[in-house]
Amino acid sequence: MGRPSLRSKRRKEILDAFERCIVDFGIEGATLEKLSDYSGLARPLIRHHAGNRDELLDALTERFLARSSAHVTEMASALSGDLAAEDLVDTLFTPYRGDVEQVLLAEALIAASRHDEALSKRMWTWFEEFVEFVADQVRRQYPAADEAAVREVAIGITGIFFNADSLKPLGGSESVAESSRRAARRLLASLAGSDG
């Protein structure tokens, strides 16, 4: 297998630097000038290897969505049995699970969606796919539950998870994670009577 090209290596380095810029300054503040400082490359070289700012944002969004999808696939393969939803809740709310930079990147992409319809659609799809992943685990554990109730519980768990995740940059989120885990378990328990 051949070595990766200099262009693909540079592109990855630029995307890594752009991600750090966004984490530090938000999407609006991640200018090409700051990216040049972070990457150590002149702006013309950035454009040559990775395109303009819109192309960079598109590539970074694709990379974020691919990482997120891979993480969900990894979690799904680890869940099995009759307690899939409870196991998922325990996984989601484990303190220190996840990467603070990815949380900040997700928050920046969501915030930027207000002004970018295409990005908004992509991020909404990302959210809906995660809700459906949670709903699938809930259905596995409560196969007789009403579909509307399953969706409500899945959205509730997702909302609790996103909220708890958004607080990670503050540090010391262990008590939030534990309280969030218990709240998500209460939501799951609300389906217990509907499963016969």
Side-chain angles (χ1 to χ4, degrees), residues 141-154:
Q141 187 162 337
Y142 298 100
D146 175 70
E147 185 55 33
V150 166
R151 177 142 174 93
E152 288 168 2
V153 167

Side-chain angles (χ1 to χ4, degrees), residues 23-145:
V23 165
D24 289 347
F25 302 107
I27 288 178
E28 292 302 317
T31 63
L32 286 178
E33 183 177 335
K34 286 184 179 140
L35 177 54
S36 178
D37 291 341
Y38 272 55
S39 67
L41 296 172
R43 287 165 54 174
L45 280 175
I46 291 171
R47 280 192 220 83
H48 172 73
H49 289 293
N52 64 31
R53 192 172 178 285
D54 289 340
E55 292 168 323
L56 278 164
L57 182 57
D58 187 55
L60 189 65
T61 301
E62 278 302 312
R63 185 168 83 164
F64 168 79
L65 295 173
R67 284 179 180 168
S68 182
S69 179
H71 184 67
V72 167
T73 299
E74 182 182 310
M75 279 194 296
S77 68
L79 301 172
S80 63
D82 296 337
L83 300 177
E86 289 180 25
D87 290 344
L88 174 63
V89 164
D90 290 344
T91 299
L92 290 177
F93 298 105
T94 299
Y96 306 114
R97 187 214 60 74
D99 180 343
V100 171
E101 282 75 26
Q102 289 304 297
V103 170
L104 292 170
L105 180 58
E107 290 174 359
L109 290 170
I110 290 168
S113 293
R114 291 182 336 192
H115 307 293
D116 183 334
E117 188 175 337
L119 180 59
S120 178
K121 287 179 182 176
R122 293 168 84 184
M123 296 306 290
W124 188 253
T125 299
W126 167 74
F127 170 77
E128 284 291 336
E129 287 173 353
F130 189 80
V131 168
E132 188 54 33
F133 162 66
V134 175
D136 284 345
Q137 308 318 308
V138 172
R139 282 185 206 101
R140 285 174 63 191
Q141 187 162 337
Y142 298 100

